Amino acid sequence: MLRLENVVKNFGGLQALSGVSFRVEAGSITGLIGPNGSGKSTCFNVITGFYEKDGGDIYFRDENLEGLKPFEIAQRGLSRTFQISQVPEKMTVFENLLLAPKGQTGEVITNVFFKAARIEEETREYLEKAKDILKLLKLYDLRNEYAGNLSGGQKKLLSLGRVLLTEPTLILLDEPTAGVNPTLINDIIRAVKRLRDEEGKTLLIVEHNMKVISEICDKVIVLDFGRKIAEGTPREVQNDEKVLEAYLAGSSKKWDV
Amino acid sequence: MSVLQVILNSIIRASELALLSLGLTIVYDILKFANFAHTEYAVVGAYFAFILNVTLGLPIFFSAILAAIATGIFAILIDRVVFKKMRNANGIIVMVTSLGVAIALRNTVRAIWGASPKSYNVPLQAPIVTKYFRITPLQIWIIAVGAAAMVAFYILLHYTRLGKAMRAASDNPDLAQASGIATEKIVTAVWFIAISFASLGGILIGMETYLLPYMGFAIIIPVFCAAIMGGLGNPYGAMLGALVLGFAENFGLYINFGKLFNLGGLLHITHRALFIPTGYKPAISFVILIVVLLLRPRGILGKKEER
Amino acid sequence: MGFVNFLVYLAIMIGIFAIMSLSLNLQYGFTGLANFGQVAFFCLGAYTTTIITLTFGLPFIIGLIGAMVVAGVFGYLIAIPTANLKEDYWAIVTLAAAEIVRIFFLNEGWVVGGGPYRGGAFGVGDIPQPFKSHFSAQTYPFFYLGIVLVCLLITYLIINKITDAPFGRVVKSIREGNDHLAQALGKDVRRFRLKVMATGGVFGGMAGCLWAHYYGFISPSQFLPLVTFIVWAMVIVGGKGNNKGAILGTIVITLFYNSTRFLKDYIPINEITLASLRMVAIGVLIVVVMLFMNEGILKEKKKIY
């Protein structure tokens, strides 16, 4: 589904990614972990085109993403969330979700006047989907609230919901449970698993919470100082010496089992 | 006009621009908004000096220094009343507010002193005339003040505690708190430095030509261009930008583009002289700005993408 | 009759400037594009229709369409180098572009046909007024007011419709500082910005055209940055992101601006001082609204589904 080959990214003199290669298999959930500053977020930004890479290749469904702009990559079915939730504050929860579907008829000015019926139909359809998602994420009661008034955790959920409405093939989640209250975490875990098991989606997740990782991931990739130091099932990786070392040396973040 | 004269004129213009664009860029760096009132402060400073020099009869030298200090303090007061309340606001909101401040300042000056040009009471001094160029003592002053201000700023930024704190605040506002000087104190200092430099620039322009309420608006585009060209927020970039613009404006009008396009007669296209009409002088900085933005969206010395 | 005429004049001014405010509101209020050169659209619209109707003698409607097309294309072009930049850059580039447009008409008298004391700084007069011959001097202003109000209504309906549509949703998300978000959702942010600027230009050009045919005389001195700033005050006071607010703000500012004219009948004050103080008030008003009632008189409407 997604293939990175020797991806390099530099910031000034600093090498944030030095030749990272891995694959994300279709229909799987892959975890991307590592101490702070190991290059996880950079990796996300390079895959989604927000950063220009300095070397290597990225293939999505066997198409090289070279030179594509972020929105073009997104249009190909690769959807992401951000570490710090990007939520337009003065738009309601509903509006936030309705923003998500790609290539809406009503996004073209002339269509607004000449294809009004189709726009209305689409909006109705999206609203129905949005309602289901909000109920799933327990945000339904807040549907007409400004997104700026949500808590940090609720914004995370909203971002997740928005990604679902883009009808993605591959979903990249950047720390989906950070700052989310523990009961909601279980909801997120359930939602993510359901995506894989019932809808056959593929996910790549950056996450600190190892409980979440071991519960949902089929495969885990560990980065440290911009290099891949381990790859395997959650169990294999947790017992890998290099991984333990990296975590103990590189960061105050402990294994959160 | 000799080439040497054009070079001299370019340097004079660059000195004036640098005094203004430097302040604009450091305010942007620390406060994260583009201050559209910046050149209006320079006008206020120039008219302060006018009160001291013409109304009160002080020598221009002291008038200029006192006016620069007074305008610096004035800027701090405006900050306390207006901008301080917007420290956490989005840059665009503060920018629009600064537009309001600019309109109010410009028209206050016009309401008090009228729209007709005013001059300082400066003893006339004979220009130095040589075979190749002509320069007035005032123009030498302009270059000297410009250069001295740049050197002073360099020393301030690299050899003082305040400068260190400013650099820290520029990189990371939260970290600056830890370096010992409170962010609010840095902000106050930045306003004072930025606006007193700008006032000096305004006074020098006023001395070389005359004082007009609209002189601030007349210079806002080149000042912004200089700052943007060097990368907004980069003080050395602003200096470089001012230099580039100073030369571009003067050489832009001096060069015979007819000759240039003809490649010295090689192409036999035309032998007509083709100069940029003087009326289009303000367009030069704009064209340069667009070209720079197209090629290097973050300016010549701009920081590359943030991590 | 004098008073009625004055009211009609005010109504026409409000109509023309409301179109300008709606245009700026689309750019700034909805999309977050700080266009500090709004007057360029106005200027281009006015000159384009003058050239079309006066130099080429074509009908008003062609002039109107031409004005809208030229200003729209200008909006699109000016957005190209800036579309990926931060709002600070946007503001200065548009401000400078508007000055260049004015300087162009100041220097190039020939575009309006040239001639002695004509074009350039002298301006151009004798701009034909549409259907003038069908009306008396007394009734014509009412007819022109009708034209202006029809144009305003069309502008309002169109801008309201597109800001309410999915298009408006996307531009709002761009305004909220979420370039990245819109991109991640597959929206071509750059194209949206270009479209907004072109649309803003179309209606700004319309306002400029109406202005030119109303006054019958235009010159570069009518298109100073001052015009832009007044339109900004209208949008900010009325309520950014609210189309009714933009119109309300236009009414408030126009009434304020014109009511202060009569002050000089009561207080001994010269014209320049009065004009300056009026602008001081506008500047202070912008600051006060930004500080204490950020949303303006009419808040942005919350869309409820």
PDB file of all heavy atoms in Angstrom, chain A residues 137-168:
ATOM      1  N   LEU A 137     -18.346   8.744  17.848  1.00  0.00           N
ATOM      2  CA  LEU A 137     -17.289   9.421  18.602  1.00  0.00           C
ATOM      3  C   LEU A 137     -17.835  10.167  19.821  1.00  0.00           C
ATOM      4  O   LEU A 137     -17.117  10.882  20.501  1.00  0.00           O
ATOM      5  CB  LEU A 137     -16.547  10.415  17.693  1.00  0.00           C
ATOM      6  CG  LEU A 137     -15.844   9.806  16.479  1.00  0.00           C
ATOM      7  CD1 LEU A 137     -15.318  10.894  15.578  1.00  0.00           C
ATOM      8  CD2 LEU A 137     -14.713   8.889  16.926  1.00  0.00           C
ATOM      9  N   LYS A 138     -19.128  10.007  20.061  1.00  0.00           N
ATOM     10  CA  LYS A 138     -19.790  10.651  21.207  1.00  0.00           C
ATOM     11  C   LYS A 138     -19.653  12.168  21.165  1.00  0.00           C
ATOM     12  O   LYS A 138     -19.405  12.826  22.165  1.00  0.00           O
ATOM     13  CB  LYS A 138     -19.247  10.087  22.517  1.00  0.00           C
ATOM     14  CG  LYS A 138     -19.437   8.586  22.576  1.00  0.00           C
ATOM     15  CD  LYS A 138     -19.216   8.002  23.932  1.00  0.00           C
ATOM     16  CE  LYS A 138     -19.684   6.559  23.927  1.00  0.00           C
ATOM     17  NZ  LYS A 138     -18.865   5.669  24.720  1.00  0.00           N
ATOM     18  N   LEU A 139     -19.767  12.725  19.984  1.00  0.00           N
ATOM     19  CA  LEU A 139     -19.712  14.183  19.845  1.00  0.00           C
ATOM     20  C   LEU A 139     -21.047  14.726  19.347  1.00  0.00           C
ATOM     21  O   LEU A 139     -21.178  15.919  19.084  1.00  0.00           O
ATOM     22  CB  LEU A 139     -18.611  14.586  18.845  1.00  0.00           C
ATOM     23  CG  LEU A 139     -17.152  14.439  19.279  1.00  0.00           C
ATOM     24  CD1 LEU A 139     -16.228  14.749  18.110  1.00  0.00           C
ATOM     25  CD2 LEU A 139     -16.834  15.345  20.454  1.00  0.00           C
ATOM     26  N   TYR A 140     -22.034  13.853  19.252  1.00  0.00           N
ATOM     27  CA  TYR A 140     -23.272  14.262  18.580  1.00  0.00           C
ATOM     28  C   TYR A 140     -23.943  15.459  19.263  1.00  0.00           C
ATOM     29  O   TYR A 140     -24.460  16.350  18.612  1.00  0.00           O
ATOM     30  CB  TYR A 140     -24.237  13.084  18.499  1.00  0.00           C
ATOM     31  CG  TYR A 140     -25.442  13.390  17.653  1.00  0.00           C
ATOM     32  CD1 TYR A 140     -25.318  13.543  16.274  1.00  0.00           C
ATOM     33  CD2 TYR A 140     -26.710  13.569  18.227  1.00  0.00           C
ATOM     34  CE1 TYR A 140     -26.410  13.849  15.485  1.00  0.00           C
ATOM     35  CE2 TYR A 140     -27.808  13.881  17.444  1.00  0.00           C
ATOM     36  CZ  TYR A 140     -27.661  14.012  16.084  1.00  0.00           C
ATOM     37  OH  TYR A 140     -28.739  14.330  15.299  1.00  0.00           O
ATOM     38  N   ASP A 141     -23.866  15.472  20.595  1.00  0.00           N
ATOM     39  CA  ASP A 141     -24.516  16.571  21.310  1.00  0.00           C
ATOM     40  C   ASP A 141     -23.854  17.912  21.052  1.00  0.00           C
ATOM     41  O   ASP A 141     -24.430  18.964  21.282  1.00  0.00           O
ATOM     42  CB  ASP A 141     -24.512  16.291  22.827  1.00  0.00           C
ATOM     43  CG  ASP A 141     -25.395  15.087  23.160  1.00  0.00           C
ATOM     44  OD1 ASP A 141     -26.291  14.788  22.337  1.00  0.00           O
ATOM     45  OD2 ASP A 141     -25.185  14.459  24.207  1.00  0.00           O
ATOM     46  N   LEU A 142     -22.615  17.849  20.596  1.00  0.00           N
ATOM     47  CA  LEU A 142     -21.879  19.094  20.356  1.00  0.00           C
ATOM     48  C   LEU A 142     -21.930  19.509  18.886  1.00  0.00           C
ATOM     49  O   LEU A 142     -21.202  20.372  18.450  1.00  0.00           O
ATOM     50  CB  LEU A 142     -20.413  18.911  20.778  1.00  0.00           C
ATOM     51  CG  LEU A 142     -20.165  18.637  22.256  1.00  0.00           C
ATOM     52  CD1 LEU A 142     -18.743  18.158  22.473  1.00  0.00           C
ATOM     53  CD2 LEU A 142     -20.425  19.888  23.065  1.00  0.00           C
ATOM     54  N   ARG A 143     -22.799  18.879  18.101  1.00  0.00           N
ATOM     55  CA  ARG A 143     -22.727  19.026  16.640  1.00  0.00           C
ATOM     56  C   ARG A 143     -22.811  20.468  16.153  1.00  0.00           C
ATOM     57  O   ARG A 143     -22.223  20.808  15.136  1.00  0.00           O
ATOM     58  CB  ARG A 143     -23.804  18.174  15.976  1.00  0.00           C
ATOM     59  CG  ARG A 143     -25.225  18.581  16.330  1.00  0.00           C
ATOM     60  CD  ARG A 143     -26.214  17.539  15.841  1.00  0.00           C
ATOM     61  NE  ARG A 143     -27.590  17.912  16.173  1.00  0.00           N
ATOM     62  CZ  ARG A 143     -28.140  17.710  17.358  1.00  0.00           C
ATOM     63  NH1 ARG A 143     -27.460  17.130  18.327  1.00  0.00           N
ATOM     64  NH2 ARG A 143     -29.385  18.086  17.589  1.00  0.00           N
ATOM     65  N   ASN A 144     -23.545  21.319  16.873  1.00  0.00           N
ATOM     66  CA  ASN A 144     -23.662  22.700  16.414  1.00  0.00           C
ATOM     67  C   ASN A 144     -22.848  23.667  17.267  1.00  0.00           C
ATOM     68  O   ASN A 144     -23.068  24.872  17.266  1.00  0.00           O
ATOM     69  CB  ASN A 144     -25.123  23.121  16.366  1.00  0.00           C
ATOM     70  CG  ASN A 144     -25.798  22.575  15.120  1.00  0.00           C
ATOM     71  OD1 ASN A 144     -25.195  22.582  14.042  1.00  0.00           O
ATOM     72  ND2 ASN A 144     -27.011  22.079  15.258  1.00  0.00           N
ATOM     73  N   GLU A 145     -21.896  23.111  18.002  1.00  0.00           N
ATOM     74  CA  GLU A 145     -21.006  23.948  18.817  1.00  0.00           C
ATOM     75  C   GLU A 145     -19.816  24.358  17.947  1.00  0.00           C
ATOM     76  O   GLU A 145     -19.393  23.627  17.055  1.00  0.00           O
ATOM     77  CB  GLU A 145     -20.530  23.102  20.007  1.00  0.00           C
ATOM     78  CG  GLU A 145     -19.804  23.866  21.090  1.00  0.00           C
ATOM     79  CD  GLU A 145     -20.649  24.958  21.699  1.00  0.00           C
ATOM     80  OE1 GLU A 145     -21.734  24.669  22.253  1.00  0.00           O
ATOM     81  OE2 GLU A 145     -20.219  26.121  21.593  1.00  0.00           O
ATOM     82  N   TYR A 146     -19.277  25.559  18.213  1.00  0.00           N
ATOM     83  CA  TYR A 146     -18.053  25.942  17.518  1.00  0.00           C
ATOM     84  C   TYR A 146     -16.915  25.006  17.926  1.00  0.00           C
ATOM     85  O   TYR A 146     -16.752  24.708  19.120  1.00  0.00           O
ATOM     86  CB  TYR A 146     -17.652  27.383  17.844  1.00  0.00           C
ATOM     87  CG  TYR A 146     -18.365  28.411  16.995  1.00  0.00           C
ATOM     88  CD1 TYR A 146     -19.015  29.489  17.576  1.00  0.00           C
ATOM     89  CD2 TYR A 146     -18.375  28.296  15.604  1.00  0.00           C
ATOM     90  CE1 TYR A 146     -19.671  30.440  16.799  1.00  0.00           C
ATOM     91  CE2 TYR A 146     -19.032  29.237  14.825  1.00  0.00           C
ATOM     92  CZ  TYR A 146     -19.667  30.303  15.414  1.00  0.00           C
ATOM     93  OH  TYR A 146     -20.308  31.230  14.634  1.00  0.00           O
ATOM     94  N   ALA A 147     -16.135  24.568  16.964  1.00  0.00           N
ATOM     95  CA  ALA A 147     -15.073  23.609  17.262  1.00  0.00           C
ATOM     96  C   ALA A 147     -14.057  24.189  18.237  1.00  0.00           C
ATOM     97  O   ALA A 147     -13.418  23.462  18.988  1.00  0.00           O
ATOM     98  CB  ALA A 147     -14.380  23.190  15.972  1.00  0.00           C
ATOM     99  N   GLY A 148     -13.919  25.524  18.229  1.00  0.00           N
ATOM    100  CA  GLY A 148     -12.979  26.170  19.133  1.00  0.00           C
ATOM    101  C   GLY A 148     -13.333  25.945  20.598  1.00  0.00           C
ATOM    102  O   GLY A 148     -12.496  26.081  21.483  1.00  0.00           O
ATOM    103  N   ASN A 149     -14.609  25.596  20.878  1.00  0.00           N
ATOM    104  CA  ASN A 149     -15.022  25.408  22.266  1.00  0.00           C
ATOM    105  C   ASN A 149     -14.841  23.979  22.751  1.00  0.00           C
ATOM    106  O   ASN A 149     -15.177  23.668  23.885  1.00  0.00           O
ATOM    107  CB  ASN A 149     -16.497  25.795  22.420  1.00  0.00           C
ATOM    108  CG  ASN A 149     -16.724  27.264  22.089  1.00  0.00           C
ATOM    109  OD1 ASN A 149     -15.779  28.063  22.156  1.00  0.00           O
ATOM    110  ND2 ASN A 149     -17.937  27.627  21.734  1.00  0.00           N
ATOM    111  N   LEU A 150     -14.321  23.096  21.894  1.00  0.00           N
ATOM    112  CA  LEU A 150     -14.129  21.707  22.309  1.00  0.00           C
ATOM    113  C   LEU A 150     -12.855  21.568  23.142  1.00  0.00           C
ATOM    114  O   LEU A 150     -11.947  22.380  23.049  1.00  0.00           O
ATOM    115  CB  LEU A 150     -14.021  20.792  21.087  1.00  0.00           C
ATOM    116  CG  LEU A 150     -15.187  20.783  20.097  1.00  0.00           C
ATOM    117  CD1 LEU A 150     -14.961  19.701  19.054  1.00  0.00           C
ATOM    118  CD2 LEU A 150     -16.501  20.551  20.808  1.00  0.00           C
ATOM    119  N   SER A 151     -12.798  20.490  23.933  1.00  0.00           N
ATOM    120  CA  SER A 151     -11.576  20.217  24.685  1.00  0.00           C
ATOM    121  C   SER A 151     -10.540  19.611  23.732  1.00  0.00           C
ATOM    122  O   SER A 151     -10.865  19.224  22.613  1.00  0.00           O
ATOM    123  CB  SER A 151     -11.883  19.223  25.801  1.00  0.00           C
ATOM    124  OG  SER A 151     -12.078  17.942  25.250  1.00  0.00           O
ATOM    125  N   GLY A 152      -9.310  19.542  24.209  1.00  0.00           N
ATOM    126  CA  GLY A 152      -8.243  18.995  23.369  1.00  0.00           C
ATOM    127  C   GLY A 152      -8.569  17.591  22.876  1.00  0.00           C
ATOM    128  O   GLY A 152      -8.377  17.274  21.702  1.00  0.00           O
ATOM    129  N   GLY A 153      -9.085  16.774  23.769  1.00  0.00           N
ATOM    130  CA  GLY A 153      -9.417  15.400  23.412  1.00  0.00           C
ATOM    131  C   GLY A 153     -10.534  15.342  22.381  1.00  0.00           C
ATOM    132  O   GLY A 153     -10.483  14.572  21.415  1.00  0.00           O
ATOM    133  N   GLN A 154     -11.531  16.212  22.587  1.00  0.00           N
ATOM    134  CA  GLN A 154     -12.651  16.232  21.637  1.00  0.00           C
ATOM    135  C   GLN A 154     -12.197  16.669  20.258  1.00  0.00           C
ATOM    136  O   GLN A 154     -12.688  16.192  19.247  1.00  0.00           O
ATOM    137  CB  GLN A 154     -13.748  17.166  22.170  1.00  0.00           C
ATOM    138  CG  GLN A 154     -14.497  16.576  23.359  1.00  0.00           C
ATOM    139  CD  GLN A 154     -15.343  17.611  24.079  1.00  0.00           C
ATOM    140  OE1 GLN A 154     -15.030  18.801  24.060  1.00  0.00           O
ATOM    141  NE2 GLN A 154     -16.405  17.155  24.720  1.00  0.00           N
ATOM    142  N   LYS A 155     -11.222  17.590  20.238  1.00  0.00           N
ATOM    143  CA  LYS A 155     -10.691  18.029  18.938  1.00  0.00           C
ATOM    144  C   LYS A 155     -10.000  16.871  18.224  1.00  0.00           C
ATOM    145  O   LYS A 155     -10.099  16.729  17.006  1.00  0.00           O
ATOM    146  CB  LYS A 155      -9.708  19.190  19.123  1.00  0.00           C
ATOM    147  CG  LYS A 155     -10.380  20.508  19.429  1.00  0.00           C
ATOM    148  CD  LYS A 155      -9.357  21.622  19.584  1.00  0.00           C
ATOM    149  CE  LYS A 155     -10.031  22.915  20.002  1.00  0.00           C
ATOM    150  NZ  LYS A 155      -9.070  23.927  20.461  1.00  0.00           N
ATOM    151  N   LYS A 156      -9.310  16.049  18.996  1.00  0.00           N
ATOM    152  CA  LYS A 156      -8.666  14.863  18.415  1.00  0.00           C
ATOM    153  C   LYS A 156      -9.710  13.968  17.765  1.00  0.00           C
ATOM    154  O   LYS A 156      -9.533  13.470  16.654  1.00  0.00           O
ATOM    155  CB  LYS A 156      -7.955  14.062  19.515  1.00  0.00           C
ATOM    156  CG  LYS A 156      -6.686  14.712  20.003  1.00  0.00           C
ATOM    157  CD  LYS A 156      -5.491  14.057  19.373  1.00  0.00           C
ATOM    158  CE  LYS A 156      -4.277  14.927  19.630  1.00  0.00           C
ATOM    159  NZ  LYS A 156      -3.097  14.575  18.955  1.00  0.00           N
ATOM    160  N   LEU A 157     -10.789  13.753  18.505  1.00  0.00           N
ATOM    161  CA  LEU A 157     -11.849  12.897  17.985  1.00  0.00           C
ATOM    162  C   LEU A 157     -12.461  13.504  16.723  1.00  0.00           C
ATOM    163  O   LEU A 157     -12.729  12.804  15.758  1.00  0.00           O
ATOM    164  CB  LEU A 157     -12.937  12.708  19.047  1.00  0.00           C
ATOM    165  CG  LEU A 157     -12.540  11.853  20.244  1.00  0.00           C
ATOM    166  CD1 LEU A 157     -13.584  11.935  21.338  1.00  0.00           C
ATOM    167  CD2 LEU A 157     -12.357  10.407  19.822  1.00  0.00           C
ATOM    168  N   LEU A 158     -12.650  14.808  16.773  1.00  0.00           N
ATOM    169  CA  LEU A 158     -13.219  15.488  15.614  1.00  0.00           C
ATOM    170  C   LEU A 158     -12.312  15.311  14.395  1.00  0.00           C
ATOM    171  O   LEU A 158     -12.790  15.029  13.287  1.00  0.00           O
ATOM    172  CB  LEU A 158     -13.411  16.972  15.936  1.00  0.00           C
ATOM    173  CG  LEU A 158     -13.998  17.839  14.825  1.00  0.00           C
ATOM    174  CD1 LEU A 158     -15.345  17.308  14.368  1.00  0.00           C
ATOM    175  CD2 LEU A 158     -14.141  19.279  15.288  1.00  0.00           C
ATOM    176  N   SER A 159     -10.998  15.427  14.625  1.00  0.00           N
ATOM    177  CA  SER A 159     -10.055  15.252  13.518  1.00  0.00           C
ATOM    178  C   SER A 159     -10.160  13.847  12.943  1.00  0.00           C
ATOM    179  O   SER A 159     -10.110  13.653  11.730  1.00  0.00           O
ATOM    180  CB  SER A 159      -8.612  15.483  13.986  1.00  0.00           C
ATOM    181  OG  SER A 159      -8.505  16.710  14.639  1.00  0.00           O
ATOM    182  N   LEU A 160     -10.306  12.893  13.836  1.00  0.00           N
ATOM    183  CA  LEU A 160     -10.444  11.501  13.394  1.00  0.00           C
ATOM    184  C   LEU A 160     -11.705  11.346  12.563  1.00  0.00           C
ATOM    185  O   LEU A 160     -11.695  10.753  11.480  1.00  0.00           O
ATOM    186  CB  LEU A 160     -10.476  10.571  14.616  1.00  0.00           C
ATOM    187  CG  LEU A 160     -10.605   9.080  14.346  1.00  0.00           C
ATOM    188  CD1 LEU A 160      -9.374   8.575  13.616  1.00  0.00           C
ATOM    189  CD2 LEU A 160     -10.794   8.313  15.648  1.00  0.00           C
ATOM    190  N   GLY A 161     -12.780  11.939  13.066  1.00  0.00           N
ATOM    191  CA  GLY A 161     -14.046  11.863  12.352  1.00  0.00           C
ATOM    192  C   GLY A 161     -13.938  12.482  10.970  1.00  0.00           C
ATOM    193  O   GLY A 161     -14.462  11.955   9.991  1.00  0.00           O
ATOM    194  N   ARG A 162     -13.237  13.574  10.896  1.00  0.00           N
ATOM    195  CA  ARG A 162     -13.089  14.270   9.626  1.00  0.00           C
ATOM    196  C   ARG A 162     -12.345  13.396   8.620  1.00  0.00           C
ATOM    197  O   ARG A 162     -12.701  13.324   7.450  1.00  0.00           O
ATOM    198  CB  ARG A 162     -12.337  15.580   9.861  1.00  0.00           C
ATOM    199  CG  ARG A 162     -12.734  16.681   8.945  1.00  0.00           C
ATOM    200  CD  ARG A 162     -12.187  17.992   9.424  1.00  0.00           C
ATOM    201  NE  ARG A 162     -10.878  17.839  10.023  1.00  0.00           N
ATOM    202  CZ  ARG A 162     -10.374  18.681  10.908  1.00  0.00           C
ATOM    203  NH1 ARG A 162     -11.056  19.730  11.277  1.00  0.00           N
ATOM    204  NH2 ARG A 162      -9.182  18.483  11.411  1.00  0.00           N
ATOM    205  N   VAL A 163     -11.295  12.738   9.108  1.00  0.00           N
ATOM    206  CA  VAL A 163     -10.535  11.844   8.235  1.00  0.00           C
ATOM    207  C   VAL A 163     -11.439  10.751   7.674  1.00  0.00           C
ATOM    208  O   VAL A 163     -11.386  10.413   6.502  1.00  0.00           O
ATOM    209  CB  VAL A 163      -9.338  11.232   8.997  1.00  0.00           C
ATOM    210  CG1 VAL A 163      -8.830   9.998   8.295  1.00  0.00           C
ATOM    211  CG2 VAL A 163      -8.236  12.262   9.141  1.00  0.00           C
ATOM    212  N   LEU A 164     -12.322  10.226   8.531  1.00  0.00           N
ATOM    213  CA  LEU A 164     -13.198   9.145   8.077  1.00  0.00           C
ATOM    214  C   LEU A 164     -14.096   9.608   6.938  1.00  0.00           C
ATOM    215  O   LEU A 164     -14.392   8.857   6.025  1.00  0.00           O
ATOM    216  CB  LEU A 164     -14.048   8.639   9.247  1.00  0.00           C
ATOM    217  CG  LEU A 164     -13.247   8.044  10.401  1.00  0.00           C
ATOM    218  CD1 LEU A 164     -14.171   7.532  11.485  1.00  0.00           C
ATOM    219  CD2 LEU A 164     -12.348   6.923   9.897  1.00  0.00           C
ATOM    220  N   LEU A 165     -14.528  10.859   7.005  1.00  0.00           N
ATOM    221  CA  LEU A 165     -15.424  11.370   5.965  1.00  0.00           C
ATOM    222  C   LEU A 165     -14.731  11.620   4.631  1.00  0.00           C
ATOM    223  O   LEU A 165     -15.368  11.853   3.623  1.00  0.00           O
ATOM    224  CB  LEU A 165     -16.082  12.664   6.443  1.00  0.00           C
ATOM    225  CG  LEU A 165     -17.494  12.522   7.001  1.00  0.00           C
ATOM    226  CD1 LEU A 165     -17.970  13.833   7.552  1.00  0.00           C
ATOM    227  CD2 LEU A 165     -18.454  12.023   5.938  1.00  0.00           C
ATOM    228  N   THR A 166     -13.382  11.598   4.624  1.00  0.00           N
ATOM    229  CA  THR A 166     -12.699  11.808   3.350  1.00  0.00           C
ATOM    230  C   THR A 166     -12.666  10.537   2.514  1.00  0.00           C
ATOM    231  O   THR A 166     -12.151  10.549   1.404  1.00  0.00           O
ATOM    232  CB  THR A 166     -11.235  12.269   3.552  1.00  0.00           C
ATOM    233  OG1 THR A 166     -10.537  11.235   4.249  1.00  0.00           O
ATOM    234  CG2 THR A 166     -11.140  13.557   4.338  1.00  0.00           C
ATOM    235  N   GLU A 167     -13.220   9.458   3.046  1.00  0.00           N
ATOM    236  CA  GLU A 167     -13.179   8.163   2.367  1.00  0.00           C
ATOM    237  C   GLU A 167     -11.765   7.800   1.955  1.00  0.00           C
ATOM    238  O   GLU A 167     -11.461   7.616   0.779  1.00  0.00           O
ATOM    239  CB  GLU A 167     -14.101   8.172   1.149  1.00  0.00           C
ATOM    240  CG  GLU A 167     -15.510   8.531   1.550  1.00  0.00           C
ATOM    241  CD  GLU A 167     -16.534   8.089   0.529  1.00  0.00           C
ATOM    242  OE1 GLU A 167     -16.170   7.988  -0.647  1.00  0.00           O
ATOM    243  OE2 GLU A 167     -17.681   7.850   0.933  1.00  0.00           O
ATOM    244  N   PRO A 168     -10.902   7.669   2.937  1.00  0.00           N
ATOM    245  CA  PRO A 168      -9.493   7.439   2.644  1.00  0.00           C
ATOM    246  C   PRO A 168      -9.203   5.972   2.341  1.00  0.00           C
ATOM    247  O   PRO A 168      -9.991   5.092   2.686  1.00  0.00           O
ATOM    248  CB  PRO A 168      -8.820   7.832   3.951  1.00  0.00           C
ATOM    249  CG  PRO A 168      -9.841   7.527   4.997  1.00  0.00           C
ATOM    250  CD  PRO A 168     -11.182   7.714   4.369  1.00  0.00           C
TER     251      PRO A 168
END
